[in-house]
Amino acid sequence: MSNSGSLASLTRDFERFKRELPRDFPAHVRDTYRIDLSARYLGRSLPHPVGKGSGQLSLNSGQLESDAEAGLAFAVLKTVIGQDASGDQSMAAWAIHETKMKVERRGPGWTVTWKGRGWDRSFEDYLTLVRAGRDVTRAGRLLVVPSVKYHLPRLDEPFRDDEYAFTTRALAKAWGESPLLLEKDFSPTLAGDRLADEKQQILRWLREVPQRIRAHADVRLAMKLMNARFDDDFQVEMMAAASSADALVVFNRLFDSTAGVAYGGPELSERNLRVLARPSDRPTVRPSLCGTGNVSSGRRIVEYALRGCSSVQLHTFFQVPLDAYPATDGSRTQRALHALIFDRRDGLVAVMLEREAAGLLSRRDGELHFLDLLSDAHRPR
């Protein structure tokens, strides 16, 4: 099919999928446009690059079922706060009840603010959710990944290994097979806490946390890095310090110390993309990267991919007002996926075809491949 023919097909698909997005849309994209949307997260192959970040939209089995039905690639569960066998939590200040989320404009984009932090129910309830996620994952319907906030000591303090041991072993037992895929959350509210005032303290966490977790189970580990209250150089330094992780989620939301809340929007993606575009001697194989921050279009997904991200996770774009989506029916997840993949100008299909027409992306065996975008991330800039 010619490029003009593909664009005509895209216009038709964009209109008809407003009413109902097919669950197996990656197969449709491959059949119609000869585009392979396959992506990767934590070493697992995905049908496409779009996942849901940890938060209020992944804290019960009903949400997981809805996302599986919509065709989402993966979902990271709400972050549980680590504890020891007696139930003590060193980071208990993060296990507080959420207030209502507020969705609002921030410049040309959107942000969501709320006052809560991590999982505020019992640890047993979280293990029940992990088992539900395991079942959905084993059925091949949706990759589900638990998320944890463990003890983070001050520079002159030891790690509380009993907390790492109990939490990690319990999660691994609930999951029931190896390896356990796990995200360690360095949250944006941590960036605003006095704990994160010292650079060397943060770098120690990033260097030592992976081995503390892996000592207790077979874990494939992603570390969701915060945007620290330092300059871009330090963001790059954090990535280097976390090099023993299997994947890095780059980077969590910005923190407004005046309002006491984390926020996203254009400022977040501008900083994240700027940092990721910096020259680096980071190994090209490990850790892999997952992009996050103001992902509201397929064009933004491509921007993250061109900087080395083999998948993305988002949160805010699943919560914008219904009239902000071009789709007229379906769940918010379906409507978001429709816009991200099939938008006629800024959807992932359109941008990949655009890059092909400009000579920036070539077909292999007659197909364009999303993961081929990553090859640009390792070329000298």
Side-chain angles (χ1 to χ4, degrees), residues 56-70:
Q56 288 297 90
L57 305 181
S58 49
L59 49 68
N60 63 60
S61 58
Q63 291 169 323
L64 299 182
E65 284 293 329
S66 177
D67 286 340
E69 190 62 31

Side-chain angles (χ1 to χ4, degrees), residues 1-17 28 32-33 342-345 349-350 353:
M1 185 185 297
S2 67
N3 195 269
S4 59
S6 293
L7 293 176
S9 291
L10 185 58
T11 297
R12 289 193 296 271
D13 283 346
F14 177 72
E15 291 300 325
R16 69 191 181 112
F17 293 159
H28 173 82
T32 305
Y33 305 97
F342 292 103
D343 184 90
R344 291 165 291 188
R345 185 173 70 90
V349 171
L353 291 172

Side-chain angles (χ1 to χ4, degrees), residues 140-271:
R141 300 175 61 221
L142 173 74
L143 176 65
V144 178
V145 179
S147 173
V148 187
K149 186 185 296 297
Y150 294 92
H151 173 243
L152 296 173
R154 298 192 180 278
L155 201 55
D156 58 350
E157 294 176 344
F159 280 85
R160 295 189 184 180
D161 284 317
D162 52 350
E163 184 175 293
Y164 280 77
F166 178 81
T167 303
T168 306
R169 289 170 183 167
L171 291 171
K173 182 179 180 181
W175 194 259
E177 61 183 38
S178 294
L180 167 68
L181 272 59
L182 190 67
E183 249 190 40
K184 165 65 182 83
D185 183 17
F186 289 89
S187 69
T189 48
L190 174 64
D193 192 90
R194 290 181 61 187
L195 261 179
D197 280 345
E198 294 186 34
K199 290 182 179 181
Q200 291 307 311
Q201 196 157 273
I202 295 172
L203 296 177
R204 178 198 176 196
W205 299 337
L206 297 176
R207 285 192 296 264
E208 297 189 29
V209 159
Q211 68 192 46
R212 302 282 173 182
I213 296 173
R214 292 189 184 118
H216 306 292
D218 180 15
V219 173
R220 189 174 291 167
L221 179 68
M223 300 232 283
K224 189 171 188 177
L225 303 185
M226 61 186 173
N227 267 291
R229 290 171 293 159
F230 302 107
D231 59 17
D232 290 359
D233 288 339
F234 187 67
Q235 291 298 115
V236 175
E237 197 172 349
M238 287 201 310
M239 292 176 68
S243 62
S244 64
D246 297 288
L248 302 179
V249 183
V250 284
F251 299 95
N252 221 323
R253 301 195 304 160
L254 300 167
F255 189 78
D256 184 334
S257 55
T258 301
V261 295
Y263 65 95
E267 295 165 74
L268 175 58
S269 56
E270 286 169 11
R271 188 186 200 207

Side-chain angles (χ1 to χ4, degrees), residues 296-317:
S296 55
S297 70
R299 192 169 298 277
R300 185 60 40 77
I301 295 172
V302 169
E303 289 174 343
Y304 276 106
L306 292 172
R307 289 157 177 82
C309 298
S310 58
S311 57
V312 294
Q313 51 180 258
L314 46 149
H315 194 265
T316 297
F317 195 55

Side-chain angles (χ1 to χ4, degrees), residues 78-89:
K78 178 73 175 174
T79 300
V80 72
I81 309 305
Q83 65 178 56
D84 62 21
S86 68
D88 287 341
Q89 298 173 308

